[in-house]
Amino acid sequence: MENVETTLMNKRILTFIVNGKKCEVAVAPNSTLAQVIREDLNLTGTKVGCDMGTCGCCTVIADGRPRLACLTLAHEFEGSRIETVESLNDKTMHPIQRAWAECGGSQCGYCTPGFIMTTKHLLDHNPNPSREEMKEALAGNLCRCTGFVKIYDAVERAAKELRTGAPVVVSPAPDEVRV
Amino acid sequence: MTMLLPQFELHKPTTVEEAVALVKKFGSDKSDFLAGGSDLLCNYKWGLNARPNVIALNGISSLHTIEPLRLGACVKLHEIASSETVARSLPVLAYVAKKVASVLIQEQATIGGNALLDTRCHFFNQSYFWRTSLGYCLKADGTRCHVVPKIKRDGQLVENGNECFATNCSDFAPVLIVLGAEYELAGPKGTRKVKASEFYHHDGRARFVKEPGEMLVAIHFPERAKTLTAGYKKLRPRESWDFPSLGVAAAIARDGKGKLEHFALSVNAVDTYPIVFNTHVNQYLGKQLDDGAIDAIAEHVKTTVQPKLTVPMEPGYRKKMAAVFTRRLLKELAV
């Protein structure tokens, strides 16, 4: 009981701008950004995988840079603008999310929010990345299901759609055509 | 599953003096400095040597400055990788920054944090539950070393309760050594500079010659560093993420006739500290760095290093690769 009281006493009210909305949260000194996003703000799209900075599932964009929410203290982000995967689909799916769904970029889907946020940062800064640039940018995100080829396909498709502004028409692969 | 960080009080000083006053107030054994957090917070989550006070240094603006021959301790690796100033003056640093872990880690990890990286070991970098099964280790909570359980003392094999063999896995340490860098430290007794080559300690627990409560403020480079041809080779299981299982750094300068004027070589991730080969390679000054010399140096490196089973990849393989990587690096620099 004493520990709980100590924790509550040490909490400080911090302000964040999360997905464009101002949020005030009472944050303990040892809370990570991922804990605040998931448990206090209930934005559970951001996942926690390894909790060690290896898998990239918890990636969010803070002040325009991709950051590992599991490995950073929330106190370090006081006043920051934070974008989570929920910021992308207000009413319709974002082109990156659509490309992921159409290319089979996710299977179990647990790593997908992290991949999508890293991809958003990549495409915001480099609208036409090469495969090598994609591999370098996404090296911090791990997927144990897809084998990455479909993920790179999805990044390519999303990049094309974001560049041209027109949805990319998906044509089925020859072995998927049914008569 | 979220691993909870242990309870601590977070302090956010805005000047180096405030940070030093805080560590003086709480004591160096009751406080830790936090820069990027990619090393410290992982250890805290695993219950490794957590302390009740954490002093976050990111709010100190003077630690974030990039100058041609001076880097603040809290400069992030992605800033080094993309800095025009660094690319012009010391391009090898930008190369090394890109070699550290993944781009996401580079977004938060700092050069100071990497230079002061905690030593790593299979028996140390594990969860609390995992370590419980072995009765902990010398570096955290325990009294015996599982890497070298027995050592010879007075001709007799006795239990090793003193020497920690955890490995220094910093990517920057060997590079800063070969560039002749100096670490600017601030502490309760004032500020001082220590050469990077004399900074690292043989004990895997003590790690550095840092006095209690001292913090790294900046890394200074000599004017000479700009004129050196330097390089770094890193061996790791996964090219996209891992700590080095072997890191070789070298820097050379040659005169108009191709003879060596300056030569520095350091190998890391094979011992508790980066091994400096400057005394050995100095015998090649005034000579050409030809294939014969390179082979002899590579063979000397191989026979000198004694890797332990503390990080991924077998010690025997890492020993052989120390020669291979030294040869490859020196041949690249000698072109």
mmCIF file of all heavy atoms in Angstrom, chain B residues 126-155:
data_model
loop_
_atom_site.group_PDB
_atom_site.id
_atom_site.type_symbol
_atom_site.label_atom_id
_atom_site.label_comp_id
_atom_site.label_asym_id
_atom_site.label_seq_id
_atom_site.Cartn_x
_atom_site.Cartn_y
_atom_site.Cartn_z
ATOM 1 N N GLN B 126 19.749 -10.678 -19.020
ATOM 2 C CA GLN B 126 18.622 -11.613 -18.992
ATOM 3 C C GLN B 126 17.584 -11.091 -18.009
ATOM 4 O O GLN B 126 17.882 -10.239 -17.178
ATOM 5 C CB GLN B 126 19.101 -13.004 -18.535
ATOM 6 C CG GLN B 126 20.158 -13.639 -19.423
ATOM 7 C CD GLN B 126 19.634 -14.122 -20.766
ATOM 8 O OE1 GLN B 126 18.426 -14.099 -21.009
ATOM 9 N NE2 GLN B 126 20.520 -14.553 -21.637
ATOM 10 N N SER B 127 16.373 -11.666 -18.109
ATOM 11 C CA SER B 127 15.310 -11.230 -17.200
ATOM 12 C C SER B 127 15.632 -11.667 -15.765
ATOM 13 O O SER B 127 16.460 -12.560 -15.545
ATOM 14 C CB SER B 127 13.983 -11.828 -17.632
ATOM 15 O OG SER B 127 14.020 -13.220 -17.451
ATOM 16 N N TYR B 128 14.946 -11.048 -14.835
ATOM 17 C CA TYR B 128 15.156 -11.385 -13.421
ATOM 18 C C TYR B 128 14.854 -12.858 -13.186
ATOM 19 O O TYR B 128 15.587 -13.564 -12.502
ATOM 20 C CB TYR B 128 14.251 -10.492 -12.554
ATOM 21 C CG TYR B 128 14.508 -10.645 -11.088
ATOM 22 C CD1 TYR B 128 15.613 -10.032 -10.499
ATOM 23 C CD2 TYR B 128 13.666 -11.406 -10.283
ATOM 24 C CE1 TYR B 128 15.876 -10.175 -9.152
ATOM 25 C CE2 TYR B 128 13.922 -11.551 -8.928
ATOM 26 C CZ TYR B 128 15.023 -10.938 -8.372
ATOM 27 O OH TYR B 128 15.277 -11.091 -7.043
ATOM 28 N N PHE B 129 13.768 -13.350 -13.801
ATOM 29 C CA PHE B 129 13.356 -14.746 -13.652
ATOM 30 C C PHE B 129 14.458 -15.687 -14.157
ATOM 31 O O PHE B 129 14.809 -16.668 -13.519
ATOM 32 C CB PHE B 129 12.060 -14.966 -14.432
ATOM 33 C CG PHE B 129 11.597 -16.392 -14.463
ATOM 34 C CD1 PHE B 129 11.030 -16.970 -13.340
ATOM 35 C CD2 PHE B 129 11.735 -17.172 -15.606
ATOM 36 C CE1 PHE B 129 10.615 -18.289 -13.356
ATOM 37 C CE2 PHE B 129 11.322 -18.489 -15.631
ATOM 38 C CZ PHE B 129 10.763 -19.039 -14.499
ATOM 39 N N TRP B 130 14.998 -15.358 -15.339
ATOM 40 C CA TRP B 130 16.061 -16.186 -15.940
ATOM 41 C C TRP B 130 17.262 -16.243 -15.009
ATOM 42 O O TRP B 130 17.828 -17.311 -14.752
ATOM 43 C CB TRP B 130 16.449 -15.568 -17.284
ATOM 44 C CG TRP B 130 17.320 -16.420 -18.172
ATOM 45 C CD1 TRP B 130 16.924 -17.152 -19.245
ATOM 46 C CD2 TRP B 130 18.755 -16.599 -18.091
ATOM 47 N NE1 TRP B 130 17.998 -17.772 -19.819
ATOM 48 C CE2 TRP B 130 19.133 -17.462 -19.139
ATOM 49 C CE3 TRP B 130 19.742 -16.122 -17.242
ATOM 50 C CZ2 TRP B 130 20.444 -17.845 -19.360
ATOM 51 C CZ3 TRP B 130 21.073 -16.514 -17.442
ATOM 52 C CH2 TRP B 130 21.398 -17.365 -18.505
ATOM 53 N N ARG B 131 17.641 -15.074 -14.477
ATOM 54 C CA ARG B 131 18.853 -15.019 -13.647
ATOM 55 C C ARG B 131 18.650 -15.711 -12.303
ATOM 56 O O ARG B 131 19.590 -16.240 -11.726
ATOM 57 C CB ARG B 131 19.286 -13.560 -13.450
ATOM 58 C CG ARG B 131 19.825 -12.941 -14.740
ATOM 59 C CD ARG B 131 20.304 -11.529 -14.568
ATOM 60 N NE ARG B 131 19.245 -10.630 -14.192
ATOM 61 C CZ ARG B 131 19.216 -9.956 -13.050
ATOM 62 N NH1 ARG B 131 20.206 -10.058 -12.193
ATOM 63 N NH2 ARG B 131 18.210 -9.166 -12.770
ATOM 64 N N THR B 132 17.396 -15.733 -11.847
ATOM 65 C CA THR B 132 17.092 -16.407 -10.580
ATOM 66 C C THR B 132 17.501 -17.878 -10.635
ATOM 67 O O THR B 132 18.025 -18.429 -9.664
ATOM 68 C CB THR B 132 15.571 -16.324 -10.304
ATOM 69 O OG1 THR B 132 15.179 -14.973 -10.404
ATOM 70 C CG2 THR B 132 15.234 -16.830 -8.913
ATOM 71 N N SER B 133 17.284 -18.508 -11.812
ATOM 72 C CA SER B 133 17.536 -19.940 -11.933
ATOM 73 C C SER B 133 19.011 -20.292 -11.747
ATOM 74 O O SER B 133 19.341 -21.402 -11.384
ATOM 75 C CB SER B 133 17.054 -20.440 -13.300
ATOM 76 O OG SER B 133 17.817 -19.831 -14.313
ATOM 77 N N LEU B 134 19.899 -19.326 -12.036
ATOM 78 C CA LEU B 134 21.341 -19.597 -11.912
ATOM 79 C C LEU B 134 21.939 -19.034 -10.625
ATOM 80 O O LEU B 134 23.128 -19.162 -10.389
ATOM 81 C CB LEU B 134 22.087 -18.977 -13.096
ATOM 82 C CG LEU B 134 22.295 -19.842 -14.332
ATOM 83 C CD1 LEU B 134 23.017 -19.024 -15.390
ATOM 84 C CD2 LEU B 134 23.110 -21.078 -14.019
ATOM 85 N N GLY B 135 21.113 -18.393 -9.844
ATOM 86 C CA GLY B 135 21.661 -17.759 -8.647
ATOM 87 C C GLY B 135 22.398 -16.469 -8.975
ATOM 88 O O GLY B 135 23.359 -16.120 -8.301
ATOM 89 N N TYR B 136 21.958 -15.777 -10.042
ATOM 90 C CA TYR B 136 22.509 -14.470 -10.435
ATOM 91 C C TYR B 136 24.006 -14.571 -10.811
ATOM 92 O O TYR B 136 24.540 -15.668 -10.871
ATOM 93 C CB TYR B 136 22.286 -13.423 -9.331
ATOM 94 C CG TYR B 136 20.887 -13.440 -8.794
ATOM 95 C CD1 TYR B 136 20.601 -13.975 -7.544
ATOM 96 C CD2 TYR B 136 19.829 -12.954 -9.561
ATOM 97 C CE1 TYR B 136 19.310 -14.015 -7.054
ATOM 98 C CE2 TYR B 136 18.535 -12.992 -9.078
ATOM 99 C CZ TYR B 136 18.275 -13.527 -7.831
ATOM 100 O OH TYR B 136 17.014 -13.574 -7.360
ATOM 101 N N CYS B 137 24.608 -13.428 -11.058
ATOM 102 C CA CYS B 137 26.031 -13.435 -11.423
ATOM 103 C C CYS B 137 26.749 -12.291 -10.734
ATOM 104 O O CYS B 137 26.129 -11.421 -10.130
ATOM 105 C CB CYS B 137 26.204 -13.367 -12.936
ATOM 106 S SG CYS B 137 26.098 -11.703 -13.600
ATOM 107 N N LEU B 138 28.045 -12.301 -10.923
ATOM 108 C CA LEU B 138 28.911 -11.326 -10.261
ATOM 109 C C LEU B 138 28.518 -9.875 -10.568
ATOM 110 O O LEU B 138 28.618 -8.998 -9.721
ATOM 111 C CB LEU B 138 30.340 -11.587 -10.766
ATOM 112 C CG LEU B 138 31.507 -11.148 -9.935
ATOM 113 C CD1 LEU B 138 31.415 -11.723 -8.543
ATOM 114 C CD2 LEU B 138 32.791 -11.615 -10.617
ATOM 115 N N LYS B 139 28.037 -9.641 -11.787
ATOM 116 C CA LYS B 139 27.758 -8.260 -12.216
ATOM 117 C C LYS B 139 26.453 -7.721 -11.639
ATOM 118 O O LYS B 139 26.266 -6.513 -11.558
ATOM 119 C CB LYS B 139 27.755 -8.208 -13.751
ATOM 120 C CG LYS B 139 27.770 -6.804 -14.324
ATOM 121 C CD LYS B 139 28.171 -6.842 -15.787
ATOM 122 C CE LYS B 139 27.709 -5.613 -16.546
ATOM 123 N NZ LYS B 139 28.282 -4.362 -16.068
ATOM 124 N N ALA B 140 25.530 -8.621 -11.278
ATOM 125 C CA ALA B 140 24.267 -8.155 -10.693
ATOM 126 C C ALA B 140 23.739 -9.187 -9.714
ATOM 127 O O ALA B 140 23.436 -10.314 -10.100
ATOM 128 C CB ALA B 140 23.236 -7.902 -11.794
ATOM 129 N N ASP B 141 23.625 -8.788 -8.506
ATOM 130 C CA ASP B 141 22.947 -9.536 -7.429
ATOM 131 C C ASP B 141 23.674 -10.799 -6.953
ATOM 132 O O ASP B 141 23.296 -11.377 -5.934
ATOM 133 C CB ASP B 141 21.512 -9.934 -7.828
ATOM 134 C CG ASP B 141 20.707 -8.756 -8.338
ATOM 135 O OD1 ASP B 141 20.797 -7.700 -7.702
ATOM 136 O OD2 ASP B 141 20.002 -8.887 -9.353
ATOM 137 N N GLY B 142 24.672 -11.302 -7.679
ATOM 138 C CA GLY B 142 25.279 -12.591 -7.321
ATOM 139 C C GLY B 142 26.725 -12.472 -6.876
ATOM 140 O O GLY B 142 27.287 -11.379 -6.764
ATOM 141 N N THR B 143 27.345 -13.639 -6.627
ATOM 142 C CA THR B 143 28.715 -13.628 -6.114
ATOM 143 C C THR B 143 29.675 -14.438 -6.980
ATOM 144 O O THR B 143 30.855 -14.519 -6.688
ATOM 145 C CB THR B 143 28.761 -14.218 -4.684
ATOM 146 O OG1 THR B 143 28.112 -15.484 -4.705
ATOM 147 C CG2 THR B 143 28.078 -13.299 -3.681
ATOM 148 N N ARG B 144 29.165 -15.106 -8.034
ATOM 149 C CA ARG B 144 30.105 -15.865 -8.859
ATOM 150 C C ARG B 144 29.888 -15.612 -10.349
ATOM 151 O O ARG B 144 28.804 -15.242 -10.787
ATOM 152 C CB ARG B 144 30.020 -17.361 -8.548
ATOM 153 C CG ARG B 144 28.699 -18.026 -8.782
ATOM 154 C CD ARG B 144 28.753 -19.421 -8.180
ATOM 155 N NE ARG B 144 29.615 -20.293 -8.938
ATOM 156 C CZ ARG B 144 29.159 -21.197 -9.804
ATOM 157 N NH1 ARG B 144 27.873 -21.343 -10.007
ATOM 158 N NH2 ARG B 144 29.990 -21.959 -10.464
ATOM 159 N N CYS B 145 30.987 -15.791 -11.097
ATOM 160 C CA CYS B 145 30.947 -15.563 -12.539
ATOM 161 C C CYS B 145 30.671 -16.903 -13.236
ATOM 162 O O CYS B 145 31.325 -17.900 -12.944
ATOM 163 C CB CYS B 145 32.278 -14.988 -13.007
ATOM 164 S SG CYS B 145 32.388 -14.809 -14.784
ATOM 165 N N HIS B 146 29.695 -16.905 -14.165
ATOM 166 C CA HIS B 146 29.356 -18.145 -14.865
ATOM 167 C C HIS B 146 30.161 -18.305 -16.161
ATOM 168 O O HIS B 146 30.178 -19.369 -16.750
ATOM 169 C CB HIS B 146 27.860 -18.182 -15.194
ATOM 170 C CG HIS B 146 27.008 -18.058 -13.975
ATOM 171 N ND1 HIS B 146 26.880 -19.072 -13.057
ATOM 172 C CD2 HIS B 146 26.261 -17.034 -13.498
ATOM 173 C CE1 HIS B 146 26.088 -18.676 -12.079
ATOM 174 N NE2 HIS B 146 25.712 -17.437 -12.313
ATOM 175 N N VAL B 147 30.792 -17.227 -16.611
ATOM 176 C CA VAL B 147 31.604 -17.306 -17.835
ATOM 177 C C VAL B 147 32.940 -17.952 -17.509
ATOM 178 O O VAL B 147 33.391 -18.871 -18.191
ATOM 179 C CB VAL B 147 31.824 -15.892 -18.432
ATOM 180 C CG1 VAL B 147 32.698 -15.956 -19.666
ATOM 181 C CG2 VAL B 147 30.499 -15.252 -18.760
ATOM 182 N N VAL B 148 33.581 -17.468 -16.469
ATOM 183 C CA VAL B 148 34.843 -18.053 -16.000
ATOM 184 C C VAL B 148 34.630 -18.428 -14.524
ATOM 185 O O VAL B 148 34.962 -17.666 -13.624
ATOM 186 C CB VAL B 148 36.008 -17.045 -16.156
ATOM 187 C CG1 VAL B 148 37.331 -17.675 -15.744
ATOM 188 C CG2 VAL B 148 36.097 -16.554 -17.598
ATOM 189 N N PRO B 149 34.056 -19.611 -14.267
ATOM 190 C CA PRO B 149 33.702 -19.952 -12.882
ATOM 191 C C PRO B 149 34.915 -20.114 -11.969
ATOM 192 O O PRO B 149 34.848 -19.822 -10.789
ATOM 193 C CB PRO B 149 32.950 -21.280 -13.009
ATOM 194 C CG PRO B 149 32.671 -21.462 -14.454
ATOM 195 C CD PRO B 149 33.663 -20.657 -15.204
ATOM 196 N N LYS B 150 36.033 -20.603 -12.554
ATOM 197 C CA LYS B 150 37.228 -20.808 -11.713
ATOM 198 C C LYS B 150 38.430 -20.107 -12.339
ATOM 199 O O LYS B 150 38.583 -20.101 -13.558
ATOM 200 C CB LYS B 150 37.531 -22.301 -11.605
ATOM 201 C CG LYS B 150 36.344 -23.112 -11.066
ATOM 202 C CD LYS B 150 36.759 -24.004 -9.947
ATOM 203 C CE LYS B 150 35.520 -24.636 -9.338
ATOM 204 N NZ LYS B 150 35.780 -25.372 -8.150
ATOM 205 N N ILE B 151 39.257 -19.543 -11.498
ATOM 206 C CA ILE B 151 40.500 -18.943 -11.995
ATOM 207 C C ILE B 151 41.671 -19.471 -11.175
ATOM 208 O O ILE B 151 41.482 -19.967 -10.067
ATOM 209 C CB ILE B 151 40.471 -17.389 -11.949
ATOM 210 C CG1 ILE B 151 40.112 -16.903 -10.540
ATOM 211 C CG2 ILE B 151 39.570 -16.811 -12.981
ATOM 212 C CD1 ILE B 151 40.321 -15.428 -10.376
ATOM 213 N N LYS B 152 42.879 -19.344 -11.774
ATOM 214 C CA LYS B 152 44.064 -19.859 -11.102
ATOM 215 C C LYS B 152 44.635 -18.780 -10.180
ATOM 216 O O LYS B 152 44.836 -17.645 -10.597
ATOM 217 C CB LYS B 152 45.104 -20.255 -12.154
ATOM 218 C CG LYS B 152 45.797 -21.553 -11.830
ATOM 219 C CD LYS B 152 46.643 -22.014 -12.987
ATOM 220 C CE LYS B 152 46.972 -23.484 -12.812
ATOM 221 N NZ LYS B 152 47.766 -23.991 -13.914
ATOM 222 N N ARG B 153 44.820 -19.115 -8.940
ATOM 223 C CA ARG B 153 45.443 -18.177 -8.007
ATOM 224 C C ARG B 153 46.453 -18.957 -7.151
ATOM 225 O O ARG B 153 46.091 -19.967 -6.566
ATOM 226 C CB ARG B 153 44.369 -17.525 -7.132
ATOM 227 C CG ARG B 153 44.860 -16.293 -6.438
ATOM 228 C CD ARG B 153 43.726 -15.479 -5.874
ATOM 229 N NE ARG B 153 42.921 -14.850 -6.911
ATOM 230 C CZ ARG B 153 41.649 -14.512 -6.775
ATOM 231 N NH1 ARG B 153 41.022 -14.755 -5.653
ATOM 232 N NH2 ARG B 153 40.989 -13.924 -7.752
ATOM 233 N N ASP B 154 47.670 -18.487 -7.147
ATOM 234 C CA ASP B 154 48.758 -19.178 -6.427
ATOM 235 C C ASP B 154 48.837 -20.647 -6.844
ATOM 236 O O ASP B 154 48.982 -21.541 -5.998
ATOM 237 C CB ASP B 154 48.556 -19.069 -4.904
ATOM 238 C CG ASP B 154 48.514 -17.624 -4.454
ATOM 239 O OD1 ASP B 154 49.174 -16.800 -5.125
ATOM 240 O OD2 ASP B 154 47.824 -17.315 -3.485
ATOM 241 N N GLY B 155 48.688 -20.902 -8.144
ATOM 242 C CA GLY B 155 48.823 -22.262 -8.667
ATOM 243 C C GLY B 155 47.630 -23.152 -8.422
ATOM 244 O O GLY B 155 47.624 -24.325 -8.794
#
